[in-house]
């Protein structure tokens, strides 16, 4: 990730906060624009071509912003990126903004791996415990790994909480070897 992408992400986060925008909605609007841009070779040709006048590009941008229902701040942010010839970095900026917005909202990413699929009640109980560990809200993603035998492994940032049967068996084995 480039320093410029991070600067743009922080700048947009500041704009979104000062305008009291819903960060998730603003992020989704940026993602929608990015998807539209990525899905159309002709659109990229028009918006990234330095020989086309900015006024014409802004008309195209306005039409897209209206179609996706973008906040004026989102439209203006994309216009700034476009005028500074950084549209090719939009996905990188969006990734950085996602991290910045989560940090400002005190949302932690949690990766939860279990031996079997978890039902809604199990997920809710596990997420409640993860919220306590994180000290705030979490966004959980789930994976399955049958080699765990049972229990779960939670990765919260760089910290791993291993409550799997496999880990417990390995600890027991170490105790028996060292005894």
């Amino acid at each position: 990730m480039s320093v410029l992408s991070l600067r743009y992400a922080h700048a947009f986060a500041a704009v979104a906060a000062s305008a009291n925008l819903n960060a998730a909605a603003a992020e989704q609007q940026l993602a929608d624009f990015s998807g539209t841009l990525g899905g159309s070779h002709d659109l990229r040709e028009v918006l990234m071509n330095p020989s086309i006048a900015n006024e014409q590009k802004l008309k195209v941008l306005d039409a897209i912003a209206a179609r996706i229902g973008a906040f004026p701040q989102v439209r203006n942010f994309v216009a700034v990126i476009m005028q500074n010839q950084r549209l090719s970095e939009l996905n990188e900026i969006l990734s950085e903004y996602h991290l910045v917005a989560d940090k400002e909202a005190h949302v932690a990413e949690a990766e939860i791996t279990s031996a079997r699929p978890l039902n809604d009640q199990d997920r809710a109980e596990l997420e409640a415990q993860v919220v306590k560990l994180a000290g705030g809200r979490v966004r959980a993603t789930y994976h399955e790994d049958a080699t765990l035998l049972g229990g779960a492994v939670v990765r919260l940032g760089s910290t791993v909480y291993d409550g799997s049967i496999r880990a417990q068996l390995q600890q027991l084995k170490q105790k028996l070897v060292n005894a």
Side-chain angles (χ1 to χ4, degrees), residues 48-107:
M48 295 176 154
N49 187 336
S51 67
I52 296 177
N54 274 338
E55 294 79 26
Q56 291 176 316
K57 291 178 184 181
L58 289 173
K59 287 179 184 178
V60 172
L61 174 60
D62 287 340
I64 295 169
R67 199 164 112 221
I68 64 174
F71 295 133
Q73 295 84 351
V74 171
R75 179 260 180 221
N76 294 342
F77 180 69
V78 172
V80 168
I81 291 171
M82 183 177 66
Q83 289 172 345
N84 291 328
Q85 299 178 357
R86 299 278 181 212
L87 276 178
S88 62
E89 298 171 35
L90 181 58
N91 286 333
E92 192 173 317
I93 293 168
L94 186 56
S95 294
E96 290 287 351
Y97 175 69
H98 177 76
L99 297 174
V100 169
D102 278 357
K103 185 176 180 181
E104 289 181 1
H106 304 291
V107 175

Side-chain angles (χ1 to χ4, degrees), residues 174-179:
Q174 275 302 106
K175 286 180 182 177
L176 291 174
V177 168
N178 292 334

Side-chain angles (χ1 to χ4, degrees), residues 20-165:
N20 293 320
L21 296 182
N22 177 323
E27 183 177 346
Q28 185 59 53
Q29 291 170 10
L30 283 172
D32 290 346
F33 178 81
S34 178
T36 301
L37 183 66
S40 173
H41 175 73
D42 292 338
L43 181 60
R44 285 190 308 276
E45 284 291 319
V46 169
L47 295 183
M48 295 176 154
N49 187 336
S51 67
I52 296 177
N54 274 338
E55 294 79 26
Q56 291 176 316
K57 291 178 184 181
L58 289 173
K59 287 179 184 178
V60 172
L61 174 60
D62 287 340
I64 295 169
R67 199 164 112 221
I68 64 174
F71 295 133
Q73 295 84 351
V74 171
R75 179 260 180 221
N76 294 342
F77 180 69
V78 172
V80 168
I81 291 171
M82 183 177 66
Q83 289 172 345
N84 291 328
Q85 299 178 357
R86 299 278 181 212
L87 276 178
S88 62
E89 298 171 35
L90 181 58
N91 286 333
E92 192 173 317
I93 293 168
L94 186 56
S95 294
E96 290 287 351
Y97 175 69
H98 177 76
L99 297 174
V100 169
D102 278 357
K103 185 176 180 181
E104 289 181 1
H106 304 291
V107 175
E109 292 282 338
E111 183 179 315
I112 301 172
T113 306
S114 61
R116 59 178 175 74
L118 300 176
N119 62 35
D120 291 339
Q121 181 180 352
D122 290 340
R123 284 183 180 214
E125 289 173 7
L126 189 53
E127 283 182 33
Q129 295 300 317
V130 173
V131 164
K132 290 177 186 175
L133 292 171
R137 297 183 313 173
V138 297
R139 181 178 301 113
T141 56
Y142 289 89
H143 306 282
E144 294 175 34
D145 180 358
T147 66
L148 295 179
L149 303 177
V153 176
V154 177
R155 181 180 305 274
L156 194 57
S158 62
T159 305
V160 176
Y161 300 93
D162 193 342
S164 67
I165 301 292

Side-chain angles (χ1 to χ4, degrees), residues 1-18:
M1 300 283 169
S2 75
V3 172
L4 282 175
S5 296
L6 186 58
R7 286 184 184 167
Y8 277 107
H10 278 287
F12 183 68
V15 167
S18 69

